[in-house]
Amino acid sequence: MAIRVVRENGDEILRKKSRIVEKVDDKIIELIEDMLDTMHKYNGVGLAAPQVGVLKRVVVIDLYDGNEPLKLVNPIIVKTKGKQEVEEGCLSFPNQYAKMIRPEEVIAEALNEKGEKIKIKAKGLLAQALCHEIEHLDGILFVDNMIPGTLEYVEPQKNN
Ligand code: NI
């Protein structure tokens, strides 16, 4: 378990397409564990592997709602429904937020950390997080689809 460096906007790796994971092996498990540690350190609700410099289709999500974090390998969105206007941020854009339109509900499919096929029915924040993280795997960043002119810098809170 280790904290990895989070790549920030301007790093060209964030614009690359990630590769399909052929096998959920020990190396992928280690990547997932490190991504969870890294996401939790920065209080993120989601993190995609390219954000830690690894071009593999791996995503973690934790809404801090008492449910186990999602650990997703090769995730895809198979269905979307409705619309919601949301505020969105990204660990690769520290302290920046924008408004955007996301589907209200999504169905996603992926492999879990055991290599088993799973289906996730999500709405609200989880639907938003799934869309955001899966887009990272294709080099798409939230600012690409934000409502123009809504990007804001929010002063970080000091922890002392
Ligand atoms: Ni992000």
Side-chain angles (χ1 to χ4, degrees), residues 46 51 89-92 132-133 136:
Q51 293 182 277
C90 178
L91 290 181
S92 296
H132 178 111
E133 301 311 331
H136 269 298

Side-chain angles (χ1 to χ4, degrees), residues 47-67:
L47 190 68
Q51 293 182 277
V52 293
V54 178
L55 289 171
K56 290 183 178 161
R57 302 187 82 85
V58 176
V59 157
V60 294
I61 293 173
D62 191 350
L63 302 187
Y64 306 97
D65 59 358
N67 291 313

Side-chain angles (χ1 to χ4, degrees), residues 32-34 36 47 52-54 91 103 107 150:
I32 289 171
E33 294 302 323
D34 288 357
L36 285 170
L47 190 68
V52 293
V54 178
L91 290 181
I107 295 175
T150 62

Side-chain angles (χ1 to χ4, degrees), residues 45 61 63 70 77 79-84 86 88 101-108 120-135:
V45 300
I61 293 173
L63 302 187
L70 287 175
I77 304 281
K79 202 171 175 190
T80 66
K81 191 177 159 192
K83 283 179 184 168
Q84 56 175 335
V86 293
E88 194 154 314
I101 307 294
R102 291 288 192 190
E104 168 62 24
E105 298 178 33
V106 306
I107 295 175
I120 302 136
K121 283 181 152 183
K123 45 183 158 179
L125 179 58
L126 184 56
Q128 179 188 358
L130 282 164
C131 293
H132 178 111
E133 301 311 331
I134 292 171
E135 285 179 354

Side-chain angles (χ1 to χ4, degrees), residues 12 30 61:
E12 64 182 28
E30 188 186 349
I61 293 173

Side-chain angles (χ1 to χ4, degrees), residues 90-117:
C90 178
L91 290 181
S92 296
F93 290 74
N95 310 309
Q96 292 174 78
Y97 300 90
K99 289 194 168 70
M100 57 195 302
I101 307 294
R102 291 288 192 190
E104 168 62 24
E105 298 178 33
V106 306
I107 295 175
E109 290 178 355
L111 300 178
N112 66 15
E113 76 276 23
K114 294 173 193 151
E116 300 162 339
K117 202 168 175 185

